[in-house]
Amino acid sequence: MKPHLPLRFSKRVSFQLHKKTLLYSTIALLIALAVTVVSLGMGEMKIAPLDVVKVFLGTGSEGDALIVQQFRLPRILVAILVGAALAAAGAIMQGIIRNPLASPDVLGVAGGASVAAVGFLLVFETASIKWLPPTAFLGALAATFLLYALAWKKGVTPLRLVMIGVGIKIAASALVTILILFSPFLLQNKALLWLTGSIYGVDWNDVFMILPWVVTLIAVAAVLARRVNIQQLGDDVATSLGSALQWDRFLLLMICAALTGTAVSVGGDISFVALLAPHIAKQLVGPSFGGALPLSAFLGAIIVLAADLIARMAFSPIEVPVGVFTSLIGAPFFIYLLYKNRNR
C-alpha cells in the first residue's frame, strides 16, 4: 500500500499527500470541532451540544443564537486562530533550527512582542487599546530582525540563532520587569494579565483582524515546505542542493515572527503552545515539515481551545488567564525535552 495519495489539479499543479498526515489531521480536526461545540455551550447559561449544532443549522432558538454567535463564537474563533498561529510558528522555528526545544517564546520573538505591548500599555495610558495589536506585531518583527542581525557572521547558523535568541528572551524579560516596576498599580495589573496570556473580552473585530494574517501566513509556509525540509538536512547539504539557504532562513524567520506577533497581539503571551504542538505532530507523522505544519496548527488550536475552556469553567465565576493552563502543561513537557536531549 502506497503511503502517499497523489493529487493533480492541472498538468503543472500536483502534489502528494501523506496518508498518515491526512488521517491524523482529520482526527485532530474532528477533535477541534467537538471541543468547539462543547466550549460554545459552556458558561453561566449552559447550552446542550445538540442545541449549539441547531444554532449553526438555523433551527436553534433566538436566545441560544444570540449567546452562541455574538458572545461566545468570537472568543472560540480567536482561540483557534491564536493556537494555530503559535503552533505553525513553532513548527517553522523547529524546522529551520533543527532543535525540538526551539520556539518563538523560547528564542525571544514573543519577548519582543511583550516588551512592545507592555511598553505601550504603560507609557501610552490614554491611547486606544486598538493600537496594542500592531504594536505587539512590530515588537515581534523587531526582535526577529535583532536576532538575525546579531546571529549573522558570514551567514546565520542554527546554533547562533539559539544562543542569541535565549539572550534576547532574557533581556526582554528584564525590560518588561523594569517597565512594570516603574508603573502605576492599576497599569501593573493590566500588563501582568496581558503577559500571562488571555483572550478575555475579544470580539468579532479581533477575529477579522487576525484571520487573514493567520490563513495567509500558514498557506505561504505550506508552499515553502520543501525549503524547510532541505534545511533539516544540514547547511552543507542544503547549499549543495542549490538552496538559497540564508535568504530562505530569513524569509521563514519573518513568517515565524509575523505569525507570533499576530497571535500575541490578541491573545497575549501564551506560552509553550509553539513548543508543544509541533513536537507532538512530529511524533505522529514524522519530521517532514509538509506533514507536521497542518497537524501542528490543528493541535495548537485544540490546546488553546481546551485551555480556554478550563480557564473559564474550572474556577467559575473567577476566570483564570488561559496562559496559566498552557504553562502548567508546557513547563513539565519542556523539562522532559531537556532531559531527553541532555546528551545531544
Side-chain angles (χ1 to χ4, degrees):
M1 184 176 178
K2 294 183 179 181
H4 292 87
L5 180 67
L7 297 176
R8 182 177 294 276
F9 296 97
S10 66
K11 292 183 178 179
R12 295 185 177 181
V13 180
S14 64
F15 61 92
Q16 291 186 329
L17 184 63
H18 200 284
K19 293 181 180 179
K20 184 184 289 187
T21 300
L22 178 61
L23 173 63
Y24 283 116
S25 296
T26 302
I27 293 173
L29 176 60
L30 293 175
I31 293 174
L33 290 174
V35 177
T36 297
V37 171
V38 172
S39 188
L40 285 170
M42 302 300 290
E44 291 186 9
M45 181 177 291
K46 291 182 172 55
I47 303 173
L50 182 59
D51 292 332
V52 172
V53 175
K54 287 181 179 179
V55 168
F56 289 103
L57 294 177
T59 58
S61 67
E62 291 185 4
D64 289 349
L66 177 64
I67 293 171
V68 169
Q69 295 177 348
Q70 296 301 320
F71 299 133
R72 295 179 183 172
L73 186 57
R75 178 169 181 160
I76 301 304
L77 291 177
V78 166
I80 291 171
L81 292 170
V82 167
L86 289 174
I92 295 171
M93 186 73 79
Q94 291 180 16
I96 60 179
I97 295 183
R98 306 192 297 274
N99 191 320
L101 298 174
S103 71
D105 47 343
V106 174
L107 299 186
V109 178
S114 297
V115 171
V118 172
F120 172 84
L121 289 172
L122 303 182
V123 176
F124 301 100
E125 300 180 29
T126 59
S128 172
I129 198 67
K130 292 183 179 180
W131 289 103
L132 179 60
T135 302
F137 182 86
L138 291 175
L141 288 177
T144 306
F145 273 112
L146 180 63
L147 170 63
Y148 198 86
L150 293 177
W152 180 272
K153 185 179 179 182
K154 298 180 180 180
V156 171
T157 64
L159 179 60
R160 285 203 298 271
L161 284 173
V162 170
M163 300 299 291
I164 298 296
V166 171
I168 291 175
K169 173 183 171 58
I170 295 172
S173 299
L175 286 174
V176 168
T177 301
I178 292 172
L179 287 171
I180 292 177
L181 285 175
F182 290 95
S183 62
F185 178 74
L186 292 177
L187 291 177
Q188 287 180 359
N189 289 339
K190 191 176 181 181
L192 288 172
L193 177 63
W194 189 91
L195 284 172
T196 307
S198 175
I199 54 175
Y200 174 80
V202 297
D203 55 26
W204 280 108
N205 290 328
D206 297 299
V207 175
F208 295 137
M209 179 182 68
I210 68 173
L211 177 62
W213 285 98
V214 175
V215 172
T216 301
L217 290 168
I218 291 179
V220 172
V223 172
L224 299 176
R226 180 176 175 273
R227 302 187 186 187
V228 180
N229 289 332
I230 291 176
Q231 291 194 32
Q232 291 179 341
L233 299 174
D235 291 4
D236 293 337
V237 175
T239 303
S240 66
L241 291 174
S243 172
L245 183 63
Q246 298 303 326
W247 166 249
D248 289 348
R249 188 164 286 161
F250 176 77
L251 177 61
L252 289 162
L253 276 174
M254 289 299 105
I255 294 173
C256 176
L259 282 168
T260 304
T262 300
V264 170
S265 68
V266 175
D269 194 2
I270 300 176
S271 302
F272 291 110
V273 176
L275 175 73
L276 189 60
H279 189 81
I280 296 174
K282 290 176 183 178
Q283 293 298 313
L284 294 174
V285 300
S288 174
F289 182 75
L293 178 66
L295 184 56
S296 296
F298 285 130
L299 291 173
I302 292 171
I303 291 170
V304 177
L305 269 175
D308 181 58
L309 177 59
I310 297 171
R312 288 192 291 120
M313 303 306 300
F315 302 99
S316 182
I318 299 174
E319 184 169 321
V320 181
V322 63
V324 171
F325 292 98
T326 60
S327 296
L328 285 174
I329 298 171
F333 184 79
F334 183 68
I335 295 172
Y336 162 74
L337 285 181
L338 284 172
Y339 176 79
K340 184 179 178 181
N341 293 272
R342 66 190 186 280
N343 295 324
R344 292 189 178 182

